[in-house]
Amino acid sequence: MEAIGDVIKDRIGNTLWTTLEALEAAMGEELRPIYESAERVRSLVSHGWLIDQVTATAVANSAFPCWQWYDY
């Protein structure tokens, strides 16, 4: 989340937004290129330690029953 926040903070920070809707629209404009590209998301959140933790948690909780097929 912090990596994604860093991407948008320059656009939305230090600005007095007149409405919540205006802030949400600005955030959406900055986030769109991120969520439209799986590779962009992966580049922001694909830290080895994070992937290992998510995989271990999913396996421990049976949340991802085919985890052994997931190639990260």
Side-chain angles (χ1 to χ4, degrees):
M1 190 68 202
E2 290 173 5
I4 294 171
D6 287 343
V7 171
I8 64 170
K9 73 179 178 182
D10 291 336
R11 170 71 171 96
I12 64 169
N14 298 320
T15 301
L16 180 59
W17 299 95
T18 56
T19 65
L20 180 57
E21 290 79 14
L23 172 58
E24 289 173 343
M27 291 174 67
E29 290 171 17
E30 295 300 311
L31 290 171
R32 183 170 289 110
I34 296 170
Y35 71 72
E36 288 179 344
S37 168
E39 185 55 42
R40 179 72 172 128
V41 172
R42 192 175 297 113
S43 74
L44 291 170
V45 298
S46 290
H47 306 290
W49 64 269
L50 181 58
I51 292 170
D52 292 344
Q53 289 298 313
V54 169
T55 301
T57 302
V59 170
N61 294 311
S62 299
F64 197 145
C66 299
W67 66 272
Q68 65 271 22
W69 298 337
Y70 185 72
D71 181 24
Y72 59 90

Short mmCIF file of all heavy atoms in Angstrom, two decimals:
data_model
loop_
_atom_site.label_atom_id
_atom_site.label_comp_id
_atom_site.label_asym_id
_atom_site.label_seq_id
_atom_site.Cartn_x
_atom_site.Cartn_y
_atom_site.Cartn_z
N MET A 1 0.81 -1.18 0.00
CA MET A 1 0.00 0.00 0.00
C MET A 1 0.86 1.25 0.00
O MET A 1 0.54 2.23 -0.66
CB MET A 1 -0.91 -0.05 1.23
CG MET A 1 -1.96 0.99 1.23
SD MET A 1 -3.10 0.60 -0.08
CE MET A 1 -3.82 2.15 -0.36
N GLU A 2 1.95 1.21 0.74
CA GLU A 2 2.82 2.37 0.80
C GLU A 2 3.42 2.70 -0.55
O GLU A 2 3.54 3.87 -0.91
CB GLU A 2 3.93 2.15 1.82
CG GLU A 2 3.42 2.13 3.24
CD GLU A 2 4.50 1.74 4.24
OE1 GLU A 2 5.66 1.59 3.84
OE2 GLU A 2 4.16 1.59 5.41
N ALA A 3 3.79 1.68 -1.32
CA ALA A 3 4.37 1.92 -2.64
C ALA A 3 3.35 2.59 -3.56
O ALA A 3 3.69 3.49 -4.32
CB ALA A 3 4.85 0.61 -3.25
N ILE A 4 2.11 2.17 -3.48
CA ILE A 4 1.07 2.77 -4.31
C ILE A 4 0.78 4.19 -3.82
O ILE A 4 0.59 5.11 -4.62
CB ILE A 4 -0.19 1.90 -4.32
CG1 ILE A 4 0.12 0.58 -5.02
CG2 ILE A 4 -1.35 2.61 -4.99
CD1 ILE A 4 -0.95 -0.46 -4.92
N GLY A 5 0.79 4.39 -2.52
CA GLY A 5 0.60 5.73 -1.96
C GLY A 5 1.67 6.69 -2.42
O GLY A 5 1.39 7.86 -2.72
N ASP A 6 2.90 6.21 -2.50
CA ASP A 6 3.99 7.05 -2.98
C ASP A 6 3.77 7.51 -4.41
O ASP A 6 4.14 8.62 -4.78
CB ASP A 6 5.33 6.32 -2.88
CG ASP A 6 5.82 6.17 -1.46
OD1 ASP A 6 5.32 6.90 -0.57
OD2 ASP A 6 6.69 5.31 -1.23
N VAL A 7 3.15 6.67 -5.21
CA VAL A 7 2.91 7.00 -6.61
C VAL A 7 1.91 8.15 -6.73
O VAL A 7 2.07 9.03 -7.57
CB VAL A 7 2.40 5.77 -7.38
CG1 VAL A 7 1.93 6.13 -8.77
CG2 VAL A 7 3.49 4.70 -7.46
N ILE A 8 0.90 8.18 -5.89
CA ILE A 8 -0.14 9.19 -6.04
C ILE A 8 0.02 10.42 -5.15
O ILE A 8 -0.61 11.44 -5.40
CB ILE A 8 -1.54 8.59 -5.83
CG1 ILE A 8 -1.73 8.10 -4.42
CG2 ILE A 8 -1.83 7.52 -6.85
CD1 ILE A 8 -3.15 7.73 -4.08
N LYS A 9 0.89 10.37 -4.15
CA LYS A 9 0.94 11.47 -3.19
C LYS A 9 1.39 12.79 -3.81
O LYS A 9 0.94 13.85 -3.38
CB LYS A 9 1.81 11.11 -2.00
CG LYS A 9 3.28 11.08 -2.28
CD LYS A 9 4.06 10.73 -1.02
CE LYS A 9 5.53 10.67 -1.35
NZ LYS A 9 6.30 10.31 -0.19
N ASP A 10 2.25 12.75 -4.80
CA ASP A 10 2.68 13.99 -5.43
C ASP A 10 1.52 14.69 -6.12
O ASP A 10 1.47 15.91 -6.18
CB ASP A 10 3.81 13.74 -6.43
CG ASP A 10 5.09 13.32 -5.74
OD1 ASP A 10 5.28 13.66 -4.56
OD2 ASP A 10 5.92 12.67 -6.40
N ARG A 11 0.58 13.92 -6.63
CA ARG A 11 -0.57 14.50 -7.34
C ARG A 11 -1.61 15.04 -6.39
O ARG A 11 -2.23 16.07 -6.66
CB ARG A 11 -1.19 13.42 -8.24
CG ARG A 11 -2.51 13.78 -8.85
CD ARG A 11 -2.37 14.85 -9.94
NE ARG A 11 -3.62 15.02 -10.66
CZ ARG A 11 -4.52 15.96 -10.36
NH1 ARG A 11 -4.31 16.81 -9.38
NH2 ARG A 11 -5.64 16.04 -11.05
N ILE A 12 -1.80 14.38 -5.26
CA ILE A 12 -2.90 14.79 -4.38
C ILE A 12 -2.45 15.54 -3.14
O ILE A 12 -3.25 16.19 -2.49
CB ILE A 12 -3.76 13.57 -3.97
CG1 ILE A 12 -2.96 12.59 -3.14
CG2 ILE A 12 -4.37 12.91 -5.18
CD1 ILE A 12 -3.78 11.52 -2.47
N GLY A 13 -1.16 15.46 -2.81
CA GLY A 13 -0.67 16.11 -1.60
C GLY A 13 -0.59 17.62 -1.75
O GLY A 13 -0.50 18.17 -2.85
N ASN A 14 -0.65 18.31 -0.63
CA ASN A 14 -0.51 19.76 -0.57
C ASN A 14 -1.49 20.48 -1.49
O ASN A 14 -1.16 21.50 -2.09
CB ASN A 14 0.92 20.18 -0.89
CG ASN A 14 1.90 19.64 0.11
OD1 ASN A 14 1.62 19.63 1.31
ND2 ASN A 14 3.03 19.17 -0.35
N THR A 15 -2.68 19.92 -1.62
CA THR A 15 -3.73 20.53 -2.43
C THR A 15 -4.98 20.64 -1.58
O THR A 15 -5.33 19.70 -0.86
CB THR A 15 -4.03 19.66 -3.68
OG1 THR A 15 -2.83 19.54 -4.44
CG2 THR A 15 -5.11 20.27 -4.53
N LEU A 16 -5.63 21.76 -1.67
CA LEU A 16 -6.89 21.94 -0.97
C LEU A 16 -8.00 21.56 -1.94
O LEU A 16 -8.27 22.26 -2.90
CB LEU A 16 -7.07 23.39 -0.52
CG LEU A 16 -8.37 23.69 0.23
CD1 LEU A 16 -8.49 22.84 1.48
CD2 LEU A 16 -8.45 25.17 0.57
N TRP A 17 -8.59 20.40 -1.70
CA TRP A 17 -9.64 19.89 -2.57
C TRP A 17 -10.97 20.48 -2.12
O TRP A 17 -11.30 20.48 -0.94
CB TRP A 17 -9.67 18.37 -2.52
CG TRP A 17 -8.37 17.80 -3.02
CD1 TRP A 17 -7.31 17.43 -2.26
CD2 TRP A 17 -7.99 17.61 -4.37
NE1 TRP A 17 -6.29 17.00 -3.06
CE2 TRP A 17 -6.69 17.11 -4.38
CE3 TRP A 17 -8.64 17.81 -5.59
CZ2 TRP A 17 -6.00 16.80 -5.54
CZ3 TRP A 17 -7.95 17.50 -6.76
CH2 TRP A 17 -6.66 17.01 -6.72
N THR A 18 -11.73 20.99 -3.08
CA THR A 18 -13.01 21.63 -2.74
C THR A 18 -14.08 20.62 -2.37
O THR A 18 -14.98 20.93 -1.60
CB THR A 18 -13.51 22.49 -3.91
OG1 THR A 18 -13.59 21.68 -5.09
CG2 THR A 18 -12.55 23.64 -4.16
N THR A 19 -13.96 19.40 -2.92
CA THR A 19 -14.93 18.35 -2.58
C THR A 19 -14.21 17.02 -2.48
O THR A 19 -13.13 16.83 -3.05
CB THR A 19 -16.03 18.22 -3.65
OG1 THR A 19 -15.44 17.77 -4.87
CG2 THR A 19 -16.77 19.53 -3.88
N LEU A 20 -14.83 16.11 -1.78
CA LEU A 20 -14.31 14.75 -1.69
C LEU A 20 -14.32 14.10 -3.07
O LEU A 20 -13.40 13.36 -3.42
CB LEU A 20 -15.13 13.94 -0.70
CG LEU A 20 -14.71 12.50 -0.48
CD1 LEU A 20 -13.25 12.42 -0.02
CD2 LEU A 20 -15.62 11.81 0.53
N GLU A 21 -15.33 14.41 -3.86
CA GLU A 21 -15.44 13.85 -5.21
C GLU A 21 -14.26 14.28 -6.08
O GLU A 21 -13.74 13.49 -6.87
CB GLU A 21 -16.76 14.25 -5.87
CG GLU A 21 -17.97 13.58 -5.25
CD GLU A 21 -18.43 14.22 -3.93
OE1 GLU A 21 -17.99 15.35 -3.60
OE2 GLU A 21 -19.21 13.56 -3.22
N ALA A 22 -13.81 15.52 -5.93
CA ALA A 22 -12.66 16.00 -6.71
C ALA A 22 -11.39 15.26 -6.31
O ALA A 22 -10.58 14.88 -7.17
CB ALA A 22 -12.48 17.51 -6.51
N LEU A 23 -11.21 15.03 -5.02
CA LEU A 23 -10.07 14.26 -4.54
C LEU A 23 -10.13 12.83 -5.06
O LEU A 23 -9.13 12.29 -5.54
CB LEU A 23 -10.02 14.27 -3.01
CG LEU A 23 -8.99 13.35 -2.35
CD1 LEU A 23 -7.57 13.69 -2.82
CD2 LEU A 23 -9.11 13.43 -0.85
N GLU A 24 -11.30 12.21 -4.97
CA GLU A 24 -11.46 10.85 -5.46
C GLU A 24 -11.17 10.76 -6.96
O GLU A 24 -10.55 9.80 -7.42
CB GLU A 24 -12.87 10.33 -5.16
CG GLU A 24 -13.10 10.07 -3.69
CD GLU A 24 -14.54 9.73 -3.37
OE1 GLU A 24 -15.44 9.99 -4.21
OE2 GLU A 24 -14.78 9.20 -2.27
N ALA A 25 -11.60 11.74 -7.72
CA ALA A 25 -11.35 11.75 -9.17
C ALA A 25 -9.86 11.86 -9.46
O ALA A 25 -9.33 11.15 -10.32
CB ALA A 25 -12.11 12.90 -9.83
N ALA A 26 -9.16 12.72 -8.73
CA ALA A 26 -7.72 12.86 -8.92
C ALA A 26 -6.98 11.58 -8.56
O ALA A 26 -6.06 11.16 -9.27
CB ALA A 26 -7.19 14.03 -8.07
N MET A 27 -7.41 10.95 -7.49
CA MET A 27 -6.79 9.68 -7.10
C MET A 27 -7.05 8.62 -8.16
O MET A 27 -6.15 7.84 -8.51
CB MET A 27 -7.32 9.22 -5.74
CG MET A 27 -6.86 10.10 -4.60
SD MET A 27 -7.61 9.69 -3.02
CE MET A 27 -6.91 8.08 -2.73
N GLY A 28 -8.27 8.57 -8.67
CA GLY A 28 -8.61 7.62 -9.71
C GLY A 28 -7.76 7.80 -10.96
O GLY A 28 -7.31 6.82 -11.56
N GLU A 29 -7.52 9.05 -11.33
CA GLU A 29 -6.68 9.33 -12.50
C GLU A 29 -5.26 8.80 -12.31
O GLU A 29 -4.64 8.30 -13.24
CB GLU A 29 -6.64 10.83 -12.77
CG GLU A 29 -7.93 11.41 -13.28
CD GLU A 29 -7.91 12.92 -13.32
OE1 GLU A 29 -6.82 13.51 -13.26
OE2 GLU A 29 -9.01 13.52 -13.40
N GLU A 30 -4.74 8.94 -11.11
CA GLU A 30 -3.39 8.47 -10.82
C GLU A 30 -3.33 6.96 -10.68
O GLU A 30 -2.32 6.34 -11.02
CB GLU A 30 -2.85 9.15 -9.55
CG GLU A 30 -2.66 10.63 -9.68
CD GLU A 30 -1.69 11.00 -10.79
OE1 GLU A 30 -0.59 10.43 -10.85
OE2 GLU A 30 -2.05 11.86 -11.61
N LEU A 31 -4.39 6.35 -10.17
CA LEU A 31 -4.40 4.91 -9.94
C LEU A 31 -4.71 4.10 -11.21
O LEU A 31 -4.30 2.95 -11.32
CB LEU A 31 -5.41 4.54 -8.86
CG LEU A 31 -5.02 4.97 -7.45
CD1 LEU A 31 -6.18 4.76 -6.50
CD2 LEU A 31 -3.79 4.22 -6.98
N ARG A 32 -5.42 4.70 -12.15
CA ARG A 32 -5.84 3.97 -13.35
C ARG A 32 -4.67 3.27 -14.06
O ARG A 32 -4.76 2.08 -14.36
CB ARG A 32 -6.58 4.89 -14.32
CG ARG A 32 -7.10 4.15 -15.55
CD ARG A 32 -8.04 5.00 -16.38
NE ARG A 32 -9.31 5.16 -15.65
CZ ARG A 32 -9.73 6.30 -15.09
NH1 ARG A 32 -9.00 7.39 -15.18
NH2 ARG A 32 -10.88 6.34 -14.45
N PRO A 33 -3.56 3.95 -14.33
CA PRO A 33 -2.46 3.24 -15.01
C PRO A 33 -1.89 2.08 -14.19
O PRO A 33 -1.34 1.14 -14.75
CB PRO A 33 -1.39 4.33 -15.18
CG PRO A 33 -2.09 5.62 -15.04
CD PRO A 33 -3.27 5.37 -14.14
N ILE A 34 -2.05 2.15 -12.89
CA ILE A 34 -1.56 1.06 -12.04
C ILE A 34 -2.47 -0.15 -12.14
O ILE A 34 -2.03 -1.26 -12.41
CB ILE A 34 -1.44 1.53 -10.57
CG1 ILE A 34 -0.39 2.64 -10.46
CG2 ILE A 34 -1.10 0.37 -9.65
CD1 ILE A 34 -0.35 3.33 -9.13
N TYR A 35 -3.76 0.05 -11.94
CA TYR A 35 -4.64 -1.11 -11.92
C TYR A 35 -4.95 -1.66 -13.31
O TYR A 35 -5.44 -2.77 -13.43
CB TYR A 35 -5.91 -0.88 -11.10
CG TYR A 35 -6.95 0.07 -11.65
CD1 TYR A 35 -7.73 -0.29 -12.74
CD2 TYR A 35 -7.17 1.30 -11.05
CE1 TYR A 35 -8.71 0.57 -13.23
CE2 TYR A 35 -8.15 2.16 -11.55
CZ TYR A 35 -8.91 1.79 -12.63
OH TYR A 35 -9.87 2.63 -13.11
N GLU A 36 -4.63 -0.92 -14.35
CA GLU A 36 -4.83 -1.44 -15.70
C GLU A 36 -3.67 -2.31 -16.17
O GLU A 36 -3.75 -2.93 -17.21
CB GLU A 36 -5.06 -0.29 -16.68
CG GLU A 36 -6.42 0.36 -16.53
CD GLU A 36 -6.65 1.50 -17.49
OE1 GLU A 36 -5.68 2.02 -18.08
OE2 GLU A 36 -7.83 1.89 -17.64
N SER A 37 -2.59 -2.35 -15.40
CA SER A 37 -1.42 -3.12 -15.79
C SER A 37 -0.98 -4.03 -14.65
O SER A 37 -0.46 -3.55 -13.63
CB SER A 37 -0.27 -2.17 -16.16
OG SER A 37 0.94 -2.88 -16.27
N ALA A 38 -1.16 -5.32 -14.84
CA ALA A 38 -0.72 -6.28 -13.82
C ALA A 38 0.78 -6.17 -13.59
O ALA A 38 1.25 -6.29 -12.46
CB ALA A 38 -1.08 -7.70 -14.25
N GLU A 39 1.53 -5.89 -14.63
CA GLU A 39 2.98 -5.76 -14.48
C GLU A 39 3.33 -4.56 -13.61
O GLU A 39 4.25 -4.61 -12.81
CB GLU A 39 3.65 -5.62 -15.85
CG GLU A 39 5.17 -5.61 -15.78
CD GLU A 39 5.75 -6.83 -15.07
OE1 GLU A 39 5.26 -7.95 -15.29
OE2 GLU A 39 6.71 -6.64 -14.28
N ARG A 40 2.59 -3.48 -13.74
CA ARG A 40 2.83 -2.29 -12.90
C ARG A 40 2.53 -2.61 -11.44
O ARG A 40 3.30 -2.24 -10.55
CB ARG A 40 1.97 -1.13 -13.39
CG ARG A 40 2.13 0.13 -12.59
CD ARG A 40 3.48 0.78 -12.88
NE ARG A 40 3.51 2.07 -12.23
CZ ARG A 40 4.47 2.47 -11.42
NH1 ARG A 40 5.53 1.70 -11.22
NH2 ARG A 40 4.43 3.65 -10.85
N VAL A 41 1.44 -3.29 -11.18
CA VAL A 41 1.12 -3.68 -9.80
C VAL A 41 2.22 -4.59 -9.26
O VAL A 41 2.72 -4.40 -8.15
CB VAL A 41 -0.25 -4.40 -9.72
CG1 VAL A 41 -0.49 -4.96 -8.34
CG2 VAL A 41 -1.36 -3.45 -10.13
N ARG A 42 2.61 -5.56 -10.07
CA ARG A 42 3.66 -6.49 -9.66
C ARG A 42 4.95 -5.75 -9.32
O ARG A 42 5.63 -6.05 -8.34
CB ARG A 42 3.90 -7.52 -10.77
CG ARG A 42 4.74 -8.69 -10.34
CD ARG A 42 4.87 -9.74 -11.45
NE ARG A 42 3.56 -10.32 -11.76
CZ ARG A 42 2.91 -10.15 -12.93
NH1 ARG A 42 3.44 -9.45 -13.89
NH2 ARG A 42 1.74 -10.69 -13.12
N SER A 43 5.30 -4.75 -10.12
CA SER A 43 6.55 -4.01 -9.87
C SER A 43 6.49 -3.24 -8.56
O SER A 43 7.53 -3.00 -7.93
CB SER A 43 6.85 -3.07 -11.03
OG SER A 43 5.99 -1.95 -11.02
N LEU A 44 5.30 -2.83 -8.15
CA LEU A 44 5.16 -2.07 -6.91
C LEU A 44 5.11 -2.94 -5.67
O LEU A 44 5.52 -2.52 -4.60
CB LEU A 44 3.89 -1.21 -6.97
CG LEU A 44 3.93 -0.05 -7.96
CD1 LEU A 44 2.54 0.55 -8.11
CD2 LEU A 44 4.92 1.01 -7.53
N VAL A 45 4.58 -4.16 -5.79
CA VAL A 45 4.35 -4.97 -4.59
C VAL A 45 5.04 -6.33 -4.60
O VAL A 45 4.85 -7.10 -3.68
CB VAL A 45 2.84 -5.17 -4.34
CG1 VAL A 45 2.16 -3.85 -4.10
CG2 VAL A 45 2.19 -5.91 -5.48
N SER A 46 5.83 -6.62 -5.59
CA SER A 46 6.44 -7.95 -5.69
C SER A 46 7.80 -8.02 -5.00
O SER A 46 8.82 -8.28 -5.61
CB SER A 46 6.59 -8.36 -7.15
OG SER A 46 5.35 -8.61 -7.72
N HIS A 47 7.78 -7.80 -3.72
CA HIS A 47 8.99 -7.97 -2.94
C HIS A 47 9.04 -9.43 -2.49
O HIS A 47 8.03 -9.97 -2.04
CB HIS A 47 8.98 -7.04 -1.74
CG HIS A 47 8.75 -5.60 -2.12
ND1 HIS A 47 9.70 -4.86 -2.78
CD2 HIS A 47 7.68 -4.80 -1.96
CE1 HIS A 47 9.23 -3.65 -3.00
NE2 HIS A 47 8.00 -3.58 -2.52
N GLY A 48 10.17 -10.06 -2.61
CA GLY A 48 10.29 -11.48 -2.28
C GLY A 48 9.75 -11.86 -0.92
O GLY A 48 9.01 -12.83 -0.77
N TRP A 49 10.07 -11.07 0.10
CA TRP A 49 9.61 -11.37 1.46
C TRP A 49 8.10 -11.28 1.54
O TRP A 49 7.48 -12.07 2.26
CB TRP A 49 10.26 -10.44 2.48
CG TRP A 49 9.87 -9.00 2.30
CD1 TRP A 49 10.53 -8.06 1.55
CD2 TRP A 49 8.73 -8.34 2.85
NE1 TRP A 49 9.87 -6.87 1.60
CE2 TRP A 49 8.76 -7.01 2.40
CE3 TRP A 49 7.69 -8.74 3.67
CZ2 TRP A 49 7.80 -6.07 2.74
CZ3 TRP A 49 6.72 -7.79 4.01
CH2 TRP A 49 6.79 -6.48 3.56
N LEU A 50 7.49 -10.35 0.82
CA LEU A 50 6.04 -10.20 0.86
C LEU A 50 5.35 -11.39 0.19
O LEU A 50 4.38 -11.94 0.71
CB LEU A 50 5.63 -8.90 0.18
CG LEU A 50 4.15 -8.56 0.15
CD1 LEU A 50 3.59 -8.50 1.55
CD2 LEU A 50 3.94 -7.24 -0.56
N ILE A 51 5.86 -11.80 -0.95
CA ILE A 51 5.30 -12.96 -1.65
C ILE A 51 5.41 -14.21 -0.78
O ILE A 51 4.47 -14.99 -0.68
CB ILE A 51 5.99 -13.16 -3.01
CG1 ILE A 51 5.63 -12.00 -3.94
CG2 ILE A 51 5.60 -14.49 -3.64
CD1 ILE A 51 6.44 -11.96 -5.21
N ASP A 52 6.56 -14.39 -0.13
CA ASP A 52 6.75 -15.54 0.75
C ASP A 52 5.73 -15.53 1.89
O ASP A 52 5.16 -16.58 2.24
CB ASP A 52 8.16 -15.57 1.32
CG ASP A 52 9.21 -15.87 0.27
OD1 ASP A 52 8.85 -16.35 -0.83
OD2 ASP A 52 10.39 -15.59 0.54
N GLN A 53 5.48 -14.37 2.47
CA GLN A 53 4.53 -14.27 3.59
C GLN A 53 3.11 -14.55 3.13
O GLN A 53 2.36 -15.26 3.82
CB GLN A 53 4.61 -12.89 4.24
CG GLN A 53 5.87 -12.67 5.01
CD GLN A 53 6.01 -13.64 6.16
OE1 GLN A 53 5.07 -13.86 6.93
NE2 GLN A 53 7.16 -14.26 6.30
N VAL A 54 2.72 -14.00 1.99
CA VAL A 54 1.37 -14.24 1.48
C VAL A 54 1.18 -15.71 1.16
O VAL A 54 0.16 -16.32 1.50
CB VAL A 54 1.09 -13.36 0.25
CG1 VAL A 54 -0.20 -13.77 -0.44
CG2 VAL A 54 1.04 -11.89 0.65
N THR A 55 2.17 -16.31 0.52
CA THR A 55 2.08 -17.72 0.17
C THR A 55 1.98 -18.58 1.42
O THR A 55 1.15 -19.48 1.51
CB THR A 55 3.29 -18.15 -0.68
OG1 THR A 55 3.32 -17.35 -1.86
CG2 THR A 55 3.22 -19.61 -1.06
N ALA A 56 2.82 -18.30 2.41
CA ALA A 56 2.80 -19.08 3.65
C ALA A 56 1.46 -18.94 4.36
O ALA A 56 0.90 -19.92 4.86
CB ALA A 56 3.94 -18.62 4.56
N THR A 57 0.92 -17.74 4.40
CA THR A 57 -0.37 -17.52 5.04
C THR A 57 -1.48 -18.24 4.30
O THR A 57 -2.34 -18.88 4.91
CB THR A 57 -0.68 -16.01 5.13
OG1 THR A 57 0.38 -15.38 5.86
CG2 THR A 57 -2.00 -15.76 5.80
N ALA A 58 -1.46 -18.15 2.97
CA ALA A 58 -2.50 -18.81 2.17
C ALA A 58 -2.44 -20.32 2.35
O ALA A 58 -3.48 -20.97 2.50
CB ALA A 58 -2.33 -18.44 0.70
N VAL A 59 -1.25 -20.87 2.35
CA VAL A 59 -1.10 -22.31 2.52
C VAL A 59 -1.57 -22.72 3.91
O VAL A 59 -2.31 -23.68 4.07
CB VAL A 59 0.36 -22.75 2.28
CG1 VAL A 59 0.56 -24.19 2.69
CG2 VAL A 59 0.73 -22.55 0.82
N ALA A 60 -1.17 -21.97 4.93
CA ALA A 60 -1.54 -22.30 6.31
C ALA A 60 -3.05 -22.23 6.52
O ALA A 60 -3.61 -22.99 7.30
CB ALA A 60 -0.84 -21.37 7.29
N ASN A 61 -3.70 -21.35 5.79
CA ASN A 61 -5.14 -21.17 5.96
C ASN A 61 -5.95 -21.85 4.86
O ASN A 61 -7.16 -21.66 4.79
CB ASN A 61 -5.49 -19.69 5.98
CG ASN A 61 -4.91 -19.02 7.20
OD1 ASN A 61 -5.07 -19.51 8.31
ND2 ASN A 61 -4.21 -17.94 7.01
N SER A 62 -5.30 -22.59 4.01
CA SER A 62 -5.95 -23.25 2.87
C SER A 62 -6.74 -22.27 2.02
O SER A 62 -7.74 -22.62 1.41
CB SER A 62 -6.86 -24.38 3.34
OG SER A 62 -6.12 -25.36 4.02
N ALA A 63 -6.28 -21.03 1.97
CA ALA A 63 -6.98 -20.01 1.19
C ALA A 63 -6.67 -20.13 -0.29
O ALA A 63 -7.40 -19.64 -1.12
CB ALA A 63 -6.59 -18.62 1.70
N PHE A 64 -5.58 -20.76 -0.61
CA PHE A 64 -5.16 -20.88 -2.00
C PHE A 64 -4.80 -22.34 -2.22
O PHE A 64 -3.65 -22.73 -2.16
CB PHE A 64 -3.94 -19.99 -2.24
CG PHE A 64 -3.66 -19.70 -3.68
CD1 PHE A 64 -3.15 -18.48 -4.05
CD2 PHE A 64 -3.88 -20.63 -4.68
CE1 PHE A 64 -2.87 -18.19 -5.37
CE2 PHE A 64 -3.61 -20.36 -5.99
CZ PHE A 64 -3.10 -19.13 -6.35
N PRO A 65 -5.78 -23.19 -2.46
CA PRO A 65 -5.55 -24.63 -2.49
C PRO A 65 -4.59 -25.10 -3.57
O PRO A 65 -3.99 -26.15 -3.44
CB PRO A 65 -6.94 -25.22 -2.69
CG PRO A 65 -7.76 -24.12 -3.24
CD PRO A 65 -7.17 -22.85 -2.72
N CYS A 66 -4.40 -24.31 -4.60
CA CYS A 66 -3.49 -24.72 -5.67
C CYS A 66 -2.20 -23.90 -5.62
O CYS A 66 -1.60 -23.60 -6.64
CB CYS A 66 -4.17 -24.55 -7.03
SG CYS A 66 -5.64 -25.57 -7.20
N TRP A 67 -1.76 -23.55 -4.44
CA TRP A 67 -0.60 -22.68 -4.30
C TRP A 67 0.63 -23.24 -4.98
O TRP A 67 1.46 -22.51 -5.47
CB TRP A 67 -0.31 -22.40 -2.83
CG TRP A 67 0.11 -23.62 -2.08
CD1 TRP A 67 -0.70 -24.51 -1.47
CD2 TRP A 67 1.43 -24.10 -1.91
NE1 TRP A 67 0.03 -25.52 -0.91
CE2 TRP A 67 1.35 -25.30 -1.16
CE3 TRP A 67 2.68 -23.66 -2.29
CZ2 TRP A 67 2.47 -26.04 -0.80
CZ3 TRP A 67 3.81 -24.39 -1.93
CH2 TRP A 67 3.69 -25.56 -1.20
N GLN A 68 0.78 -24.55 -5.04
CA GLN A 68 1.99 -25.12 -5.63
C GLN A 68 2.05 -24.86 -7.14
O GLN A 68 3.09 -24.97 -7.74
CB GLN A 68 2.13 -26.61 -5.32
CG GLN A 68 1.06 -27.49 -5.94
CD GLN A 68 -0.16 -27.68 -5.06
OE1 GLN A 68 -0.43 -26.87 -4.18
NE2 GLN A 68 -0.90 -28.74 -5.29
N TRP A 69 0.91 -24.51 -7.74
CA TRP A 69 0.89 -24.23 -9.18
C TRP A 69 1.20 -22.78 -9.47
O TRP A 69 1.41 -22.39 -10.61
CB TRP A 69 -0.45 -24.58 -9.77
CG TRP A 69 -0.79 -26.04 -9.65
CD1 TRP A 69 0.08 -27.08 -9.50
CD2 TRP A 69 -2.07 -26.61 -9.64
NE1 TRP A 69 -0.59 -28.25 -9.41
CE2 TRP A 69 -1.93 -28.00 -9.50
CE3 TRP A 69 -3.36 -26.07 -9.75
CZ2 TRP A 69 -3.00 -28.87 -9.46
CZ3 TRP A 69 -4.42 -26.94 -9.72
CH2 TRP A 69 -4.25 -28.32 -9.57
N TYR A 70 1.16 -21.94 -8.43
CA TYR A 70 1.37 -20.51 -8.61
C TYR A 70 2.86 -20.25 -8.82
O TYR A 70 3.69 -20.54 -7.98
CB TYR A 70 0.87 -19.74 -7.40
CG TYR A 70 0.94 -18.25 -7.57
CD1 TYR A 70 0.07 -17.60 -8.43
CD2 TYR A 70 1.88 -17.51 -6.87
CE1 TYR A 70 0.15 -16.24 -8.58
CE2 TYR A 70 1.96 -16.15 -7.03
CZ TYR A 70 1.09 -15.52 -7.88
OH TYR A 70 1.17 -14.17 -8.04
N ASP A 71 3.19 -19.72 -9.96
CA ASP A 71 4.58 -19.46 -10.31
C ASP A 71 4.90 -17.99 -10.09
O ASP A 71 4.50 -17.14 -10.86
CB ASP A 71 4.83 -19.82 -11.77
CG ASP A 71 6.27 -19.60 -12.18
OD1 ASP A 71 7.15 -19.62 -11.31
OD2 ASP A 71 6.49 -19.42 -13.39
N TYR A 72 5.56 -17.69 -9.02
CA TYR A 72 5.96 -16.31 -8.78
C TYR A 72 7.42 -16.26 -8.92
O TYR A 72 8.31 -15.84 -8.82
CB TYR A 72 5.48 -15.80 -7.43
CG TYR A 72 5.98 -16.57 -6.25
CD1 TYR A 72 7.15 -16.22 -5.63
CD2 TYR A 72 5.29 -17.65 -5.73
CE1 TYR A 72 7.61 -16.91 -4.53
CE2 TYR A 72 5.73 -18.36 -4.66
CZ TYR A 72 6.89 -17.98 -4.04
OH TYR A 72 7.34 -18.66 -2.96
#
